[in-house]
Amino acid sequence: MKVGFVYDPIYLKHNTGQHPENARRLEAIISHLERTGLKQQLIPIKPCAASTEELSLVHNEHYISHIRDVAQKGGGWLDADTVMSSNSYEAALYAAGGVIRAAEAVMNGEVDSAFALVRPPGHHATCEQAMGFCLFNNLAIATKYALTNYKLERILIVDFDVHHGNGTQAAFYDNPRVLYISTHQYPFYPGTGSIKETGSGAAEGSTINIPLPAGSGDTEYLEVFEQIIVPAAIRFKPRLILVSAGYDTHWADELALMQVSVTGFAQMVKIIKGLADELCNGRLVFSLEGGYNLTALAASIKATFDMLLGNATIEDPLGQSPPRFEAPSIASLIKKIKEIHNLS
Ligand SMILES: [Zn+2]
């Protein structure tokens, strides 16, 4: 099993200061992969900078030049959550280019699957707005790139970040060739992602939102994967699967209130990998979104790679969540979503 990873020190130069989304996240991931010997099992993929033309697949030119200008002036805050430094534009070009390269490597058969370990993250960024720590929508750009350059008929995006990927949803809301499925805490930032947002026009039904109550953990996520994501993916028959991989769903993460464990992430990845193997020759690309508890993040990403490599065991140093919540009941939510999307 050939598994690639995209990484470059340029991603550390997006300097956000005292912010939860900071360079220490990637440093913790890389040093954990090195320390555990996992990195040696992976094939490095070198990112390049996305071109303006590639960014324009998702973002308008005025927005792109605005981000470049803010960096040239030394950086600054774009909204209450999102900050840039002088090197952030360049890092963001390589983040978008990194996910493109990961998709190319998978499509060209250089690797079976790949994980782009990039920052800044992307799934909140819209065509004309930075938000939620995101500048360019790396995964949406790579999706459009793959649709165009490889003439793929259909791409599935699974987004298990704890936040709804409003930017990615918006990029494909009227595009029937992309099925966007998101699990997220709800109600929560950024406010979008209700079950009623299902796509528009010819793309009606190609957005599936699974808004979960705070306190949802491994049991609830696996239930949702088995009951909704698996049958929806099988029906859609994707030619490639991309994953917005956010690990802020972990119980130890301080930005949200979900209860997923490292073991839970591994099980979710195993299901997604099974879908890729069954439906699209294993073609699978992960892109890093959130995840702010460094121990949980590094362990979860190692577990993700272990699953992609087909390694028999994973390590879960943090274990299951201490009991903080009563297990939420999601049976009626699942039933409603299955009705809306005609999933039997
Ligand atoms: Zn997030």
Side-chain angles (χ1 to χ4, degrees):
M1 199 53 71
K2 287 188 289 181
V3 179
F5 78 106
V6 172
Y7 174 71
D8 193 287
I10 182 72
Y11 300 134
L12 307 179
K13 291 190 175 176
H14 169 50
N15 180 2
T16 53
Q18 296 300 315
H19 189 287
E21 200 297 288
N22 59 61
R24 291 188 298 281
R25 298 175 62 230
L26 280 183
E27 288 169 337
I29 293 167
I30 297 298
S31 73
H32 188 64
L33 296 178
E34 281 171 352
R35 202 169 47 239
T36 53
L38 196 282
K39 193 158 163 251
Q40 295 161 15
Q41 301 176 50
L42 305 173
I43 296 166
I45 299 169
K46 221 179 148 34
C48 37
S51 65
T52 304
E53 193 187 348
E54 287 160 356
L55 298 179
S56 301
L57 292 166
V58 169
H59 301 284
N60 72 40
E61 282 184 29
H62 177 261
Y63 174 71
I64 297 166
S65 54
H66 171 63
I67 297 298
R68 188 177 52 226
D69 290 348
V70 174
Q72 269 167 8
K73 286 172 186 148
W77 289 86
L78 301 169
D79 73 0
D81 305 309
T82 313
V83 68
M84 283 180 68
S85 64
S86 56
N87 291 313
S88 294
Y89 177 68
E90 199 190 358
L93 294 183
Y94 275 83
V99 187
I100 288 176
R101 270 296 295 132
E104 274 181 341
V106 167
M107 289 308 301
N108 297 341
E110 297 162 50
V111 292
D112 297 301
S113 58
F115 197 145
L117 298 169
V118 300
R119 61 183 289 275
H123 74 153
H124 294 304
T126 70
C127 138
E128 55 183 7
Q129 200 178 355
M131 57 185 279
F133 320 162
C134 302
L135 302 183
F136 299 128
N137 196 318
N138 311 317
L139 182 134
I141 292 166
T143 302
K144 289 215 172 172
Y145 179 90
L147 283 175
T148 311
N149 286 268
Y150 295 98
K151 311 228 172 340
L152 296 175
E153 297 140 295
R154 289 174 303 278
I155 293 180
L156 166 64
I157 299 173
V158 177
D159 184 335
F160 61 67
D161 188 279
V162 80
H163 303 96
H164 181 241
N166 60 296
T168 310
Q169 171 174 298
F172 302 107
Y173 207 63
D174 57 359
N175 188 338
R177 291 167 67 195
V178 176
L179 174 60
Y180 176 70
I181 309 181
S182 175
T183 54
H184 44 274
Q185 185 176 323
Y186 187 88
F188 200 46
Y189 183 89
T192 49
S194 92
I195 56 173
K196 292 180 185 152
E197 295 162 27
T198 56
S200 68
E204 176 65 48
S206 73
T207 294
I208 301 180
N209 280 308
I210 308 171
L212 292 166
S216 298
D218 295 356
T219 308
E220 290 74 29
Y221 272 81
L222 293 177
E223 183 82 3
V224 151
F225 266 69
E226 276 160 20
Q227 299 246 6
I228 300 171
I229 298 179
V230 167
I234 290 171
R235 183 174 66 186
F236 186 66
K237 299 185 185 70
R239 298 292 180 239
L240 170 68
I241 300 177
L242 287 103
V243 180
S244 258
Y247 297 90
D248 39 10
T249 321
H250 193 276
W251 63 262
D253 201 282
E254 286 176 2
L255 261 62
L257 293 169
M258 293 312 214
Q259 302 292 284
V260 173
S261 68
V262 172
T263 304
F265 283 122
Q267 289 168 313
M268 282 151 57
V269 171
K270 191 175 183 186
I271 292 173
I272 296 170
K273 183 176 183 299
L275 286 170
D277 288 341
E278 183 185 336
L279 302 171
C280 48
N281 298 323
R283 295 197 291 237
L284 181 55
V285 177
F286 279 67
S287 179
L288 181 62
E289 301 287 358
Y292 306 100
N293 177 295
L294 300 186
T295 308
L297 176 64
S300 300
I301 288 190
K302 179 179 180 291
T304 299
F305 278 121
D306 277 323
M307 286 294 120
L308 295 178
L309 286 160
N311 293 341
T313 54
I314 62 135
E315 291 150 40
D316 185 348
L318 295 167
Q320 294 293 311
S321 165
R324 286 195 294 177
F325 296 92
E326 252 178 68
S329 165
I330 59 164
S332 69
L333 173 72
I334 289 178
K335 184 163 175 274
K336 239 185 269 174
I337 295 171
K338 287 173 91 164
E339 275 167 16
I340 291 172
H341 290 281
N342 296 314
L343 293 165
S344 49

